[in-house]
Amino acid sequence: RGTPLPSLSSQRVCWDAQDLQKQVPGLFVSWHTPHGLRGCMGTLQPIELQRGLSDYALTSALYDLRFSPITLKEVKTLTCRVSILHSFEPCSDPLDWKLGSHGFTMT
């Protein structure tokens, strides 16, 4: 099992230009209302951080088929979260993960 990174929800995260050029193993961008999820999309493939942020911020806001597109008017009421994926590893048991902490892919 992978170990989740500590939550940064109470911290402000700043990246410099060099960080934005780095590849990350995968990422997801999610939009949230005070009541729940409003959109979420991302990739499990390596991607340059800057491109992943810009592509998936728009894609998750406008093209998540579970929701209508986010309008400009509602943006100020939303929270945007970025999940940078890490520590991919195979599991030995199909139940070897914790809902809400781990993601999984099936191949």
Side-chain angles (χ1 to χ4, degrees), residues 58-79:
L58 287 174
T59 302
S60 61
L62 302 175
Y63 301 109
D64 186 333
L65 297 177
R66 298 171 293 176
F67 306 96
S68 60
I70 292 173
T71 65
L72 186 57
K73 182 178 179 180
E74 70 182 306
V75 168
K76 64 183 175 186
T77 68
L78 302 175
T79 301

Side-chain angles (χ1 to χ4, degrees), residues 5 11-12 29 32 35 50-51 75 77 85-86 88:
L5 290 176
Q11 301 176 16
R12 183 170 284 232
V29 177
H32 300 264
H35 308 290
Q50 182 172 355
R51 178 173 180 171
V75 168
T77 68
L85 307 181
H86 64 93
F88 295 115

Side-chain angles (χ1 to χ4, degrees), residues 8-54:
L8 299 175
S9 61
S10 63
Q11 301 176 16
R12 183 170 284 232
V13 178
C14 297
W15 291 303
D16 64 27
Q18 287 182 327
D19 292 330
L20 293 172
Q21 303 304 313
K22 292 180 182 175
Q23 291 256 326
V24 295
L27 66 79
F28 279 76
V29 177
S30 58
W31 294 92
H32 300 264
T33 71
H35 308 290
L37 185 65
R38 183 64 179 83
C40 180
M41 294 182 102
T43 181
L44 298 170
Q45 300 300 315
I47 191 167
E48 183 182 278
L49 181 57
Q50 182 172 355
R51 178 173 180 171
L53 291 172
S54 61

